[in-house]
Amino acid sequence: MDFFLKSDFEAYLVGGIIRDTLLGRKTHDIDISVHGDAIKAATELNKIIRGKLEIHKDFGTATILKNRTRIDIAMTRDEIYPKPGALPQVFESDIHGDLRRRDFSINAMALALNRKKLRFLDPFFGMKYLNERLIRVIHPKSFLDDPTRIFRALRYKNRLNFKLESKTEKLLIEAVWLRVLKKVSKQRILNELKLICKEKTYLKTLKDLHHYEIFEFNMKKLNLIKKIPDDLKCYYFLSLLEDKFPLSNEEERIVSNFRNLERIRNTLKSAKINSDIYYALHNVDERVIKVLNRLYKGLRQKIRKFYRLRRIKPIIRGDDLLALSIKPGPIFREILSGIHKMQLDGLVKSKHDATQIIKKWLNVS
Ligand code: ATP
């Protein structure tokens, strides 16, 4: 901070760091708004800090990473929302515009890092609402402009153990009622859900999503989330929703595995022979198998067996079928999996035996 106190940059400490410091909470994230050239300010600051500097030219922002601390430096800017839920048009402004564009009063306080004296700016009564432990939007259109603030409001409420200020709660309910979240991209909603699931108080917030009718899902099934490892909680939650989200193939598989958890469990439970055990789990993500192992103690032996079976290499491959002059097609898969199953169950032990069986099958058909 000394750097800004001695420099000519018009810089302000803003957002979470002010809120958290006033609440006596630790934070490793520092947000600084600079009226003017933020990238230049970041570059000069980093000459002293000697951290890792990342410049985002398109956004006119920069980040300095040093140990566990992250400093985000941006130009003071204001925003206009051309239509509800759309991304805002951003333009340069002074600190007042910069604070006005923010989500909640408690996030809209600033400390001017001025050469002459430190000045505390609190145009939206952040201190008052901090003392009253209330989440309050800055203006009535806030949730309509940016509906992701609905998630943010509930996340902060539970993290800080605050309440929604009564008018803010009404505005939130109204926004949900108006289905504003339909106007937001699924990617942005997914980002918010991931942030919620990273919080210690994630469960309260997920319950709030149900309470405020933001998402419909089975509350009984939600309770199982307590037993799901932290890095998978969000995928478990997504598996309770009907909405589709833009997920990677791996994420999609985990969500689908969670959706079928009961079915997978039952199939495995009733599996009697090796091939049934193998095929009950062969499409299940490794991490979900670990969850099954933790949740259902009775499945342990079968899961251990699956790990052993998985190491067995198929005795017959596609090349072998080509060598037998079999034309590639759906029959390939049938033969390969048929032989593989027999191999797992110990019914075929050598390539020679397998080839004889295949020949017999083909003559019959
Ligand atoms: P934390 O990182 O601990 O969750 P934070 O307050 O630092 O809290 P960020 O998401 O890093 O949260 O955002 C930094 C600041 O930017 C916020 O304090 C808030 O003032 C502002 N902000 C972030 N997202 C929005 C939004 N959707 N609408 C308005 N202001 C926002």
Side-chain angles (χ1 to χ4, degrees), residues 14-17 19-20 27 29-31 72 77 79 81 98-99 101-104 106-109 142 146 148-149 152 155-156 159 188 192 195 199:
V14 284
I17 178 123
R19 176 197 70 220
D20 288 340
T27 174
D29 292 345
I30 300 173
D31 285 311
D72 284 311
R77 60 185 199 271
E79 291 168 348
Y81 288 82
D98 193 84
L99 295 179
R101 75 172 168 86
R102 289 174 188 266
D103 44 8
F104 310 115
I106 58 162
N107 285 344
M109 296 178 271
S142 188
D146 180 356
T148 64
R149 291 173 187 159
R152 292 178 63 85
R155 186 156 58 86
Y156 285 122
R159 182 204 289 178
R188 291 183 68 206
E192 294 299 328
L195 288 175
E199 302 266 337

Side-chain angles (χ1 to χ4, degrees), residues 203 217-228 236-237 239-240 258-262:
L203 193 54
F217 54 87
N218 183 326
M219 278 294 269
K220 256 198 190 149
K221 285 194 176 171
L222 179 68
N223 277 324
L224 193 65
I225 203 170
K226 288 184 232 161
K227 296 192 178 160
I228 306 287
Y236 180 78
F237 179 65
S239 80
L240 305 180
F258 277 139
R259 228 171 246 146
N260 295 316
L261 206 61
E262 277 293 303

Side-chain angles (χ1 to χ4, degrees), residues 19-34:
R19 176 197 70 220
D20 288 340
T21 308
L22 288 170
L23 285 170
R25 291 173 68 96
K26 264 197 197 146
T27 174
H28 296 285
D29 292 345
I30 300 173
D31 285 311
I32 295 172
S33 289
V34 173

Side-chain angles (χ1 to χ4, degrees), residues 103-119:
D103 44 8
F104 310 115
S105 290
I106 58 162
N107 285 344
M109 296 178 271
L111 189 65
L113 303 172
N114 193 282
R115 233 178 220 283
K116 291 167 205 121
K117 62 172 188 226
L118 290 172
R119 205 157 41 91

Side-chain angles (χ1 to χ4, degrees), residues 42-214:
T43 312
E44 289 194 18
L45 172 62
N46 197 43
K47 282 182 191 154
I48 300 165
I49 294 184
R50 292 168 182 272
K52 186 168 163 265
L53 176 68
E54 288 170 4
I55 290 177
H56 319 285
K57 250 198 179 134
D58 293 350
F59 298 102
T61 63
T63 302
I64 299 174
L65 299 163
K66 175 89 187 239
N67 304 326
R68 285 178 66 198
T69 303
R70 176 192 172 101
I71 309 176
D72 284 311
I73 303 180
M75 72 174 180
T76 47
R77 60 185 199 271
D78 204 343
E79 291 168 348
I80 290 181
Y81 288 82
K83 54 180 182 187
L87 288 174
Q89 284 165 4
V90 174
F91 55 93
E92 201 174 339
S93 121
D94 59 13
I95 186 65
H96 297 286
D98 193 84
L99 295 179
R100 193 170 50 226
R101 75 172 168 86
R102 289 174 188 266
D103 44 8
F104 310 115
S105 290
I106 58 162
N107 285 344
M109 296 178 271
L111 189 65
L113 303 172
N114 193 282
R115 233 178 220 283
K116 291 167 205 121
K117 62 172 188 226
L118 290 172
R119 205 157 41 91
F120 183 59
L121 290 103
D122 185 12
F124 302 103
F125 311 105
M127 269 298 262
K128 167 176 145 60
Y129 290 104
L130 208 70
N131 287 329
E132 293 176 10
R133 305 184 75 80
L134 292 174
I135 304 293
R136 175 205 178 241
V137 283
I138 282 171
H139 60 84
K141 268 183 71 213
S142 188
F143 291 126
L144 305 183
D145 279 348
D146 180 356
T148 64
R149 291 173 187 159
I150 293 174
F151 297 102
R152 292 178 63 85
L154 299 174
R155 186 156 58 86
Y156 285 122
K157 160 187 166 285
N158 293 315
R159 182 204 289 178
L160 304 173
N161 196 15
F162 278 26
K163 286 202 160 62
L164 296 178
E165 178 255 354
S166 65
K167 215 162 156 195
T168 296
E169 186 177 34
K170 281 197 188 108
L171 292 168
L172 185 148
I173 292 169
E174 199 176 289
V176 174
W177 225 66
L178 290 170
R179 300 191 179 281
V180 283
L181 281 164
K182 289 258 175 284
K183 304 208 162 83
V184 180
S185 76
K186 283 283 199 281
Q187 182 63 58
R188 291 183 68 206
I189 295 183
L190 177 64
N191 294 346
E192 294 299 328
L193 293 178
K194 285 186 174 176
L195 288 175
I196 288 172
C197 289
K198 278 192 196 147
E199 302 266 337
K200 277 200 187 114
T201 48
Y202 72 94
L203 193 54
K204 279 188 176 166
T205 310
L206 296 181
K207 285 181 179 170
D208 277 345
L209 296 182
H210 192 269
H211 173 76
Y212 287 107
E213 297 176 7
I214 295 162

